[in-house]
Each structure stands twice: as C-alpha cells, then as structure tokens.
Amino acid sequence: MSDSSSYFGSFNSPLGNINISASDTGITALQFIEQPTLSDEGNEIIEHCKRELNAYFSGILKDFSVPLDLKCSDFQQQVLAHVKTVQLGTTSSYLQVAKTLLMPTASRAIGLANSKNKILILIPCHRIIGSSGSLVGYAGGLERKQWLLAHEAKVCGITRRQLSLQF
C-alpha cells in the first residue's frame, strides 16, 4: 500500500449514482450508491475516470485506460487481472477463470475473490457468469449486471443468445 492521498468523486450513470475513489496513482474503488458523494474532491485520475465512464455508457469506449490502484490480496489481484482481460461483448464463467488460472477446483474461491472487486465496471466482474449461463452474484445487483451485459452486447452488435445468457 502506498502513502498517497485519497480523492473522491461521483458520477451519475444510467444505472444510478457511482462513487469513485482514487489515490495519487489510480482508482481504488468504483461502486454504486444511493446518494452521490457530498464533497467532490477529485484529482485528474477521477476526472479521467468520469470521461471514460461517460464514453462507455455512450457506447463509444470499449477499453478503459484509467490507472487502477488495487488494494487486495495477491490471489484476488491474480483473479481480477484475469477478469480485466475478458473483452467487452464476451463473458466467462467462474469455472473457466479457475481453469485458465490453472486452479480447476477453485471456482468458489474465484467467485469469492470476484465478489470482493471494489472497482466495478472498470474491472468487469459483471462479465463473469455461472457455468450454465445464469447471472449469479454482482455487488451492484443482478439487474445492473443484466443491463451492463445487454449494453455491451448492443455496442458490439451481439445478441443475448450469442452470449449464451439466461436472463
């Protein structure tokens, strides 16, 4: 962990208010909230994030470049680094992630690490689904997960059937 300052901002998305937290080196959290942050004490990283979120929700941006500052265990960093590689318009399952990380029996641990992701959307944990194609677990709520996947499919010109989703 670094000895950096903390900055805060909020973003009003089509899915509700999002709180954004950052250090001097990157985004530390991006989470849905009921009320926006009272004080918007951002930095350039927060502003960069807001620009990218605006472009993402407008259907223009497919890959985020805003720097991240993950504050989690080495195992969770490994899982989230892989989750970050799941491309817009695609999904993966907890089992697929476990197999890719050469931990074929660790799908529950993968799911737990994914569920603790504090940087929603930028680390696209919403793209990780059940092996059957079902939408399971999302800190932002399953309705938001469904909306995000549908939005990304539309941006990529992909149908829900092509994603093999069950919702």
Side-chain angles (χ1 to χ4, degrees), residues 117-151:
N117 175 20
K118 292 182 179 179
I119 307 176
L120 301 180
I121 302 174
L122 304 181
I123 299 176
C125 57
H126 61 277
R127 296 179 192 155
I128 310 302
I129 60 174
S131 295
S132 67
S134 59
L135 300 184
V136 292
Y138 184 60
L142 290 180
E143 302 83 22
R144 286 184 176 124
K145 183 172 189 163
Q146 180 179 347
W147 189 97
L148 290 165
L149 291 172
H151 168 70

mmCIF file of all heavy atoms in Angstrom, residues 117-151:
data_model
loop_
_atom_site.group_PDB
_atom_site.id
_atom_site.type_symbol
_atom_site.label_atom_id
_atom_site.label_comp_id
_atom_site.label_asym_id
_atom_site.label_seq_id
_atom_site.Cartn_x
_atom_site.Cartn_y
_atom_site.Cartn_z
ATOM 1 N N ASN A 117 -14.479 -7.493 -5.603
ATOM 2 C CA ASN A 117 -13.985 -6.447 -6.501
ATOM 3 C C ASN A 117 -14.595 -5.103 -6.102
ATOM 4 O O ASN A 117 -15.802 -4.946 -6.104
ATOM 5 C CB ASN A 117 -14.357 -6.789 -7.950
ATOM 6 C CG ASN A 117 -13.986 -5.707 -8.928
ATOM 7 O OD1 ASN A 117 -13.148 -4.859 -8.651
ATOM 8 N ND2 ASN A 117 -14.612 -5.730 -10.079
ATOM 9 N N LYS A 118 -13.747 -4.137 -5.789
ATOM 10 C CA LYS A 118 -14.224 -2.807 -5.400
ATOM 11 C C LYS A 118 -14.239 -1.830 -6.567
ATOM 12 O O LYS A 118 -14.648 -0.692 -6.412
ATOM 13 C CB LYS A 118 -13.351 -2.249 -4.275
ATOM 14 C CG LYS A 118 -13.510 -2.998 -2.981
ATOM 15 C CD LYS A 118 -12.676 -2.379 -1.893
ATOM 16 C CE LYS A 118 -12.875 -3.137 -0.600
ATOM 17 N NZ LYS A 118 -12.077 -2.602 0.479
ATOM 18 N N ILE A 119 -13.762 -2.276 -7.720
ATOM 19 C CA ILE A 119 -13.669 -1.381 -8.869
ATOM 20 C C ILE A 119 -14.594 -1.909 -9.972
ATOM 21 O O ILE A 119 -14.152 -2.438 -10.991
ATOM 22 C CB ILE A 119 -12.207 -1.224 -9.347
ATOM 23 C CG1 ILE A 119 -11.303 -0.820 -8.174
ATOM 24 C CG2 ILE A 119 -12.121 -0.193 -10.467
ATOM 25 C CD1 ILE A 119 -9.824 -0.725 -8.513
ATOM 26 N N LEU A 120 -15.902 -1.777 -9.717
ATOM 27 C CA LEU A 120 -16.897 -2.278 -10.657
ATOM 28 C C LEU A 120 -16.763 -1.583 -12.013
ATOM 29 O O LEU A 120 -16.252 -0.476 -12.101
ATOM 30 C CB LEU A 120 -18.300 -2.064 -10.089
ATOM 31 C CG LEU A 120 -18.587 -2.735 -8.743
ATOM 32 C CD1 LEU A 120 -20.014 -2.430 -8.294
ATOM 33 C CD2 LEU A 120 -18.347 -4.226 -8.802
ATOM 34 N N ILE A 121 -17.208 -2.228 -13.021
ATOM 35 C CA ILE A 121 -17.206 -1.786 -14.424
ATOM 36 C C ILE A 121 -15.785 -1.728 -14.982
ATOM 37 O O ILE A 121 -15.511 -2.348 -16.003
ATOM 38 C CB ILE A 121 -17.951 -0.448 -14.651
ATOM 39 C CG1 ILE A 121 -19.405 -0.564 -14.169
ATOM 40 C CG2 ILE A 121 -17.899 -0.036 -16.120
ATOM 41 C CD1 ILE A 121 -20.193 0.732 -14.206
ATOM 42 N N LEU A 122 -14.870 -1.005 -14.341
ATOM 43 C CA LEU A 122 -13.504 -0.921 -14.850
ATOM 44 C C LEU A 122 -12.820 -2.280 -14.824
ATOM 45 O O LEU A 122 -12.057 -2.621 -15.719
ATOM 46 C CB LEU A 122 -12.679 0.092 -14.048
ATOM 47 C CG LEU A 122 -13.229 1.513 -13.948
ATOM 48 C CD1 LEU A 122 -12.296 2.395 -13.146
ATOM 49 C CD2 LEU A 122 -13.507 2.104 -15.305
ATOM 50 N N ILE A 123 -13.055 -3.039 -13.764
ATOM 51 C CA ILE A 123 -12.687 -4.457 -13.717
ATOM 52 C C ILE A 123 -14.020 -5.174 -13.909
ATOM 53 O O ILE A 123 -14.839 -5.223 -12.991
ATOM 54 C CB ILE A 123 -12.014 -4.842 -12.388
ATOM 55 C CG1 ILE A 123 -10.720 -4.050 -12.196
ATOM 56 C CG2 ILE A 123 -11.734 -6.361 -12.380
ATOM 57 C CD1 ILE A 123 -10.025 -4.297 -10.876
ATOM 58 N N PRO A 124 -14.266 -5.696 -15.101
ATOM 59 C CA PRO A 124 -15.611 -6.115 -15.496
ATOM 60 C C PRO A 124 -16.072 -7.444 -14.893
ATOM 61 O O PRO A 124 -16.357 -8.413 -15.609
ATOM 62 C CB PRO A 124 -15.507 -6.189 -17.016
ATOM 63 C CG PRO A 124 -14.079 -6.581 -17.247
ATOM 64 C CD PRO A 124 -13.302 -5.853 -16.186
ATOM 65 N N CYS A 125 -16.207 -7.473 -13.583
ATOM 66 C CA CYS A 125 -16.657 -8.694 -12.918
ATOM 67 C C CYS A 125 -18.080 -9.056 -13.330
ATOM 68 O O CYS A 125 -18.489 -10.212 -13.174
ATOM 69 C CB CYS A 125 -16.519 -8.569 -11.406
ATOM 70 S SG CYS A 125 -17.393 -7.175 -10.690
ATOM 71 N N HIS A 126 -18.814 -8.098 -13.901
ATOM 72 C CA HIS A 126 -20.163 -8.407 -14.392
ATOM 73 C C HIS A 126 -20.126 -9.358 -15.584
ATOM 74 O O HIS A 126 -21.130 -9.968 -15.920
ATOM 75 C CB HIS A 126 -20.914 -7.109 -14.751
ATOM 76 C CG HIS A 126 -20.258 -6.302 -15.821
ATOM 77 N ND1 HIS A 126 -19.224 -5.415 -15.550
ATOM 78 C CD2 HIS A 126 -20.463 -6.244 -17.156
ATOM 79 C CE1 HIS A 126 -18.837 -4.849 -16.678
ATOM 80 N NE2 HIS A 126 -19.570 -5.336 -17.669
ATOM 81 N N ARG A 127 -18.974 -9.515 -16.203
ATOM 82 C CA ARG A 127 -18.843 -10.414 -17.352
ATOM 83 C C ARG A 127 -18.597 -11.865 -16.925
ATOM 84 O O ARG A 127 -18.485 -12.744 -17.772
ATOM 85 C CB ARG A 127 -17.718 -9.938 -18.268
ATOM 86 C CG ARG A 127 -18.000 -8.586 -18.892
ATOM 87 C CD ARG A 127 -16.875 -8.114 -19.782
ATOM 88 N NE ARG A 127 -17.073 -6.703 -20.120
ATOM 89 C CZ ARG A 127 -16.096 -5.878 -20.447
ATOM 90 N NH1 ARG A 127 -14.840 -6.296 -20.520
ATOM 91 N NH2 ARG A 127 -16.367 -4.606 -20.717
ATOM 92 N N ILE A 128 -18.486 -12.096 -15.627
ATOM 93 C CA ILE A 128 -18.284 -13.453 -15.121
ATOM 94 C C ILE A 128 -19.647 -13.990 -14.688
ATOM 95 O O ILE A 128 -20.318 -13.395 -13.855
ATOM 96 C CB ILE A 128 -17.279 -13.486 -13.951
ATOM 97 C CG1 ILE A 128 -15.987 -12.728 -14.318
ATOM 98 C CG2 ILE A 128 -16.991 -14.927 -13.553
ATOM 99 C CD1 ILE A 128 -15.258 -13.251 -15.549
ATOM 100 N N ILE A 129 -20.025 -15.110 -15.293
ATOM 101 C CA ILE A 129 -21.361 -15.674 -15.086
ATOM 102 C C ILE A 129 -21.238 -17.131 -14.634
ATOM 103 O O ILE A 129 -20.136 -17.686 -14.613
ATOM 104 C CB ILE A 129 -22.198 -15.573 -16.384
ATOM 105 C CG1 ILE A 129 -21.535 -16.339 -17.515
ATOM 106 C CG2 ILE A 129 -22.401 -14.105 -16.770
ATOM 107 C CD1 ILE A 129 -22.354 -16.429 -18.789
ATOM 108 N N GLY A 130 -22.357 -17.723 -14.286
ATOM 109 C CA GLY A 130 -22.375 -19.138 -13.931
ATOM 110 C C GLY A 130 -22.086 -20.012 -15.138
ATOM 111 O O GLY A 130 -22.307 -19.610 -16.280
ATOM 112 N N SER A 131 -21.606 -21.218 -14.894
ATOM 113 C CA SER A 131 -21.273 -22.142 -15.990
ATOM 114 C C SER A 131 -22.465 -22.442 -16.879
ATOM 115 O O SER A 131 -22.313 -22.719 -18.065
ATOM 116 C CB SER A 131 -20.720 -23.452 -15.426
ATOM 117 O OG SER A 131 -19.499 -23.204 -14.767
ATOM 118 N N SER A 132 -23.676 -22.370 -16.317
ATOM 119 C CA SER A 132 -24.887 -22.646 -17.095
ATOM 120 C C SER A 132 -25.336 -21.437 -17.921
ATOM 121 O O SER A 132 -26.305 -21.521 -18.656
ATOM 122 C CB SER A 132 -26.018 -23.041 -16.152
ATOM 123 O OG SER A 132 -26.383 -21.924 -15.352
ATOM 124 N N GLY A 133 -24.640 -20.325 -17.773
ATOM 125 C CA GLY A 133 -25.033 -19.101 -18.463
ATOM 126 C C GLY A 133 -25.913 -18.215 -17.604
ATOM 127 O O GLY A 133 -26.374 -17.167 -18.056
ATOM 128 N N SER A 134 -26.153 -18.620 -16.364
ATOM 129 C CA SER A 134 -27.009 -17.832 -15.477
ATOM 130 C C SER A 134 -26.243 -16.655 -14.874
ATOM 131 O O SER A 134 -25.030 -16.707 -14.688
ATOM 132 C CB SER A 134 -27.571 -18.713 -14.365
ATOM 133 O OG SER A 134 -26.517 -19.280 -13.617
ATOM 134 N N LEU A 135 -26.977 -15.591 -14.604
ATOM 135 C CA LEU A 135 -26.387 -14.420 -13.965
ATOM 136 C C LEU A 135 -26.383 -14.672 -12.466
ATOM 137 O O LEU A 135 -27.431 -14.760 -11.841
ATOM 138 C CB LEU A 135 -27.206 -13.168 -14.270
ATOM 139 C CG LEU A 135 -27.341 -12.785 -15.736
ATOM 140 C CD1 LEU A 135 -28.090 -11.465 -15.864
ATOM 141 C CD2 LEU A 135 -25.991 -12.698 -16.413
ATOM 142 N N VAL A 136 -25.201 -14.785 -11.917
ATOM 143 C CA VAL A 136 -25.081 -15.017 -10.479
ATOM 144 C C VAL A 136 -24.147 -13.977 -9.893
ATOM 145 O O VAL A 136 -23.156 -13.605 -10.500
ATOM 146 C CB VAL A 136 -24.558 -16.438 -10.172
ATOM 147 C CG1 VAL A 136 -25.570 -17.488 -10.548
ATOM 148 C CG2 VAL A 136 -23.256 -16.720 -10.892
ATOM 149 N N GLY A 137 -24.517 -13.477 -8.730
ATOM 150 C CA GLY A 137 -23.675 -12.588 -7.953
ATOM 151 C C GLY A 137 -23.149 -11.369 -8.672
ATOM 152 O O GLY A 137 -22.504 -11.491 -9.696
ATOM 153 N N TYR A 138 -23.460 -10.221 -8.146
ATOM 154 C CA TYR A 138 -22.875 -8.965 -8.600
ATOM 155 C C TYR A 138 -23.109 -7.933 -7.503
ATOM 156 O O TYR A 138 -24.256 -7.737 -7.085
ATOM 157 C CB TYR A 138 -23.485 -8.496 -9.926
ATOM 158 C CG TYR A 138 -22.837 -7.244 -10.486
ATOM 159 C CD1 TYR A 138 -21.488 -7.227 -10.790
ATOM 160 C CD2 TYR A 138 -23.579 -6.088 -10.682
ATOM 161 C CE1 TYR A 138 -20.888 -6.078 -11.296
ATOM 162 C CE2 TYR A 138 -22.985 -4.936 -11.193
ATOM 163 C CZ TYR A 138 -21.636 -4.939 -11.497
ATOM 164 O OH TYR A 138 -21.050 -3.804 -11.985
ATOM 165 N N ALA A 139 -22.045 -7.315 -7.045
ATOM 166 C CA ALA A 139 -22.150 -6.344 -5.947
ATOM 167 C C ALA A 139 -23.086 -5.189 -6.289
ATOM 168 O O ALA A 139 -23.704 -4.607 -5.406
ATOM 169 C CB ALA A 139 -20.769 -5.816 -5.574
ATOM 170 N N GLY A 140 -23.223 -4.869 -7.557
ATOM 171 C CA GLY A 140 -24.109 -3.788 -7.975
ATOM 172 C C GLY A 140 -25.551 -4.227 -8.155
ATOM 173 O O GLY A 140 -26.415 -3.409 -8.458
ATOM 174 N N GLY A 141 -25.819 -5.515 -7.977
ATOM 175 C CA GLY A 141 -27.163 -6.056 -8.154
ATOM 176 C C GLY A 141 -27.305 -6.733 -9.504
ATOM 177 O O GLY A 141 -26.721 -6.291 -10.495
ATOM 178 N N LEU A 142 -28.074 -7.803 -9.529
ATOM 179 C CA LEU A 142 -28.228 -8.566 -10.773
ATOM 180 C C LEU A 142 -28.900 -7.776 -11.887
ATOM 181 O O LEU A 142 -28.611 -7.986 -13.059
ATOM 182 C CB LEU A 142 -28.990 -9.865 -10.508
ATOM 183 C CG LEU A 142 -28.226 -10.920 -9.709
ATOM 184 C CD1 LEU A 142 -29.079 -12.169 -9.517
ATOM 185 C CD2 LEU A 142 -26.902 -11.268 -10.371
ATOM 186 N N GLU A 143 -29.791 -6.830 -11.529
ATOM 187 C CA GLU A 143 -30.427 -6.013 -12.570
ATOM 188 C C GLU A 143 -29.379 -5.169 -13.295
ATOM 189 O O GLU A 143 -29.444 -5.002 -14.514
ATOM 190 C CB GLU A 143 -31.493 -5.088 -11.970
ATOM 191 C CG GLU A 143 -32.586 -5.796 -11.210
ATOM 192 C CD GLU A 143 -32.190 -6.124 -9.763
ATOM 193 O OE1 GLU A 143 -31.276 -5.481 -9.199
ATOM 194 O OE2 GLU A 143 -32.786 -7.053 -9.200
ATOM 195 N N ARG A 144 -28.414 -4.643 -12.543
ATOM 196 C CA ARG A 144 -27.352 -3.845 -13.169
ATOM 197 C C ARG A 144 -26.440 -4.743 -14.005
ATOM 198 O O ARG A 144 -25.991 -4.344 -15.083
ATOM 199 C CB ARG A 144 -26.563 -3.089 -12.106
ATOM 200 C CG ARG A 144 -27.329 -1.916 -11.524
ATOM 201 C CD ARG A 144 -26.458 -1.135 -10.550
ATOM 202 N NE ARG A 144 -27.148 0.031 -10.058
ATOM 203 C CZ ARG A 144 -27.342 0.286 -8.766
ATOM 204 N NH1 ARG A 144 -26.913 -0.541 -7.840
ATOM 205 N NH2 ARG A 144 -27.971 1.388 -8.396
ATOM 206 N N LYS A 145 -26.144 -5.930 -13.498
ATOM 207 C CA LYS A 145 -25.313 -6.868 -14.254
ATOM 208 C C LYS A 145 -25.984 -7.169 -15.595
ATOM 209 O O LYS A 145 -25.341 -7.130 -16.642
ATOM 210 C CB LYS A 145 -25.121 -8.152 -13.446
ATOM 211 C CG LYS A 145 -24.223 -9.179 -14.104
ATOM 212 C CD LYS A 145 -23.948 -10.335 -13.140
ATOM 213 C CE LYS A 145 -22.896 -11.252 -13.701
ATOM 214 N NZ LYS A 145 -22.321 -12.129 -12.686
ATOM 215 N N GLN A 146 -27.271 -7.453 -15.564
ATOM 216 C CA GLN A 146 -28.022 -7.735 -16.782
ATOM 217 C C GLN A 146 -27.975 -6.531 -17.725
ATOM 218 O O GLN A 146 -27.743 -6.680 -18.927
ATOM 219 C CB GLN A 146 -29.468 -8.079 -16.424
ATOM 220 C CG GLN A 146 -30.323 -8.391 -17.624
ATOM 221 C CD GLN A 146 -31.749 -8.764 -17.230
ATOM 222 O OE1 GLN A 146 -32.052 -9.024 -16.076
ATOM 223 N NE2 GLN A 146 -32.624 -8.783 -18.211
ATOM 224 N N TRP A 147 -28.172 -5.330 -17.197
ATOM 225 C CA TRP A 147 -28.163 -4.121 -18.017
ATOM 226 C C TRP A 147 -26.788 -3.928 -18.648
ATOM 227 O O TRP A 147 -26.691 -3.617 -19.849
ATOM 228 C CB TRP A 147 -28.529 -2.901 -17.168
ATOM 229 C CG TRP A 147 -28.752 -1.668 -17.984
ATOM 230 C CD1 TRP A 147 -29.949 -1.182 -18.415
ATOM 231 C CD2 TRP A 147 -27.753 -0.754 -18.490
ATOM 232 N NE1 TRP A 147 -29.757 -0.032 -19.152
ATOM 233 C CE2 TRP A 147 -28.422 0.256 -19.223
ATOM 234 C CE3 TRP A 147 -26.368 -0.687 -18.411
ATOM 235 C CZ2 TRP A 147 -27.751 1.303 -19.849
ATOM 236 C CZ3 TRP A 147 -25.693 0.354 -19.046
ATOM 237 C CH2 TRP A 147 -26.385 1.329 -19.747
ATOM 238 N N LEU A 148 -25.725 -4.093 -17.863
ATOM 239 C CA LEU A 148 -24.369 -3.900 -18.382
ATOM 240 C C LEU A 148 -24.057 -4.881 -19.508
ATOM 241 O O LEU A 148 -23.515 -4.501 -20.548
ATOM 242 C CB LEU A 148 -23.332 -4.032 -17.258
ATOM 243 C CG LEU A 148 -23.316 -2.898 -16.240
ATOM 244 C CD1 LEU A 148 -22.518 -3.301 -14.999
ATOM 245 C CD2 LEU A 148 -22.761 -1.620 -16.851
ATOM 246 N N LEU A 149 -24.419 -6.142 -19.319
ATOM 247 C CA LEU A 149 -24.175 -7.140 -20.364
ATOM 248 C C LEU A 149 -24.993 -6.855 -21.614
ATOM 249 O O LEU A 149 -24.489 -6.986 -22.738
ATOM 250 C CB LEU A 149 -24.464 -8.546 -19.827
ATOM 251 C CG LEU A 149 -23.479 -9.045 -18.767
ATOM 252 C CD1 LEU A 149 -23.960 -10.354 -18.164
ATOM 253 C CD2 LEU A 149 -22.074 -9.182 -19.339
ATOM 254 N N ALA A 150 -26.238 -6.448 -21.440
ATOM 255 C CA ALA A 150 -27.078 -6.101 -22.592
ATOM 256 C C ALA A 150 -26.521 -4.870 -23.312
ATOM 257 O O ALA A 150 -26.488 -4.821 -24.554
ATOM 258 C CB ALA A 150 -28.514 -5.862 -22.145
ATOM 259 N N HIS A 151 -26.075 -3.876 -22.560
ATOM 260 C CA HIS A 151 -25.478 -2.657 -23.140
ATOM 261 C C HIS A 151 -24.241 -3.020 -23.960
ATOM 262 O O HIS A 151 -24.087 -2.580 -25.103
ATOM 263 C CB HIS A 151 -25.125 -1.677 -22.018
ATOM 264 C CG HIS A 151 -24.262 -0.538 -22.441
ATOM 265 N ND1 HIS A 151 -24.719 0.477 -23.259
ATOM 266 C CD2 HIS A 151 -22.963 -0.248 -22.168
ATOM 267 C CE1 HIS A 151 -23.731 1.353 -23.470
ATOM 268 N NE2 HIS A 151 -22.664 0.924 -22.822
#
